[in-house]
Amino acid sequence: MNTPTTVIFIIVAFSLGAILVMKRDQVPPQLRRVLALATIGLVGFAFFMILATLFNM
């Protein structure tokens, strides 16, 4: 696994989740559901990548 790329993806995924939670009132309702589902997928994949990196050490 490419470690710097993995770390950047993890930071970006969690940052997107944090930004979406902080700004949820300003996001239009139609876009809110799509962004929430995309963020859940990205954060879930980031957790998977963290676990895969830990098991490969």
Side-chain angles (χ1 to χ4, degrees):
M1 240 187 238
N2 192 356
T3 305
T5 305
T6 303
V7 171
I8 290 171
F9 175 77
I10 291 168
I11 291 170
V12 168
F14 284 112
S15 297
L16 176 63
I19 290 169
L20 191 61
V21 167
M22 288 187 288
K23 299 291 185 178
R24 67 179 174 259
D25 296 333
Q26 297 175 356
V27 178
Q30 296 172 344
L31 187 60
R32 189 178 306 157
R33 178 174 291 211
V34 175
L35 284 176
L37 291 174
T39 302
I40 289 171
L42 290 174
V43 170
F45 189 65
F47 275 123
F48 170 75
M49 291 179 78
I50 291 170
L51 292 176
T53 303
L54 289 175
F55 284 125
N56 286 331
M57 290 180 112

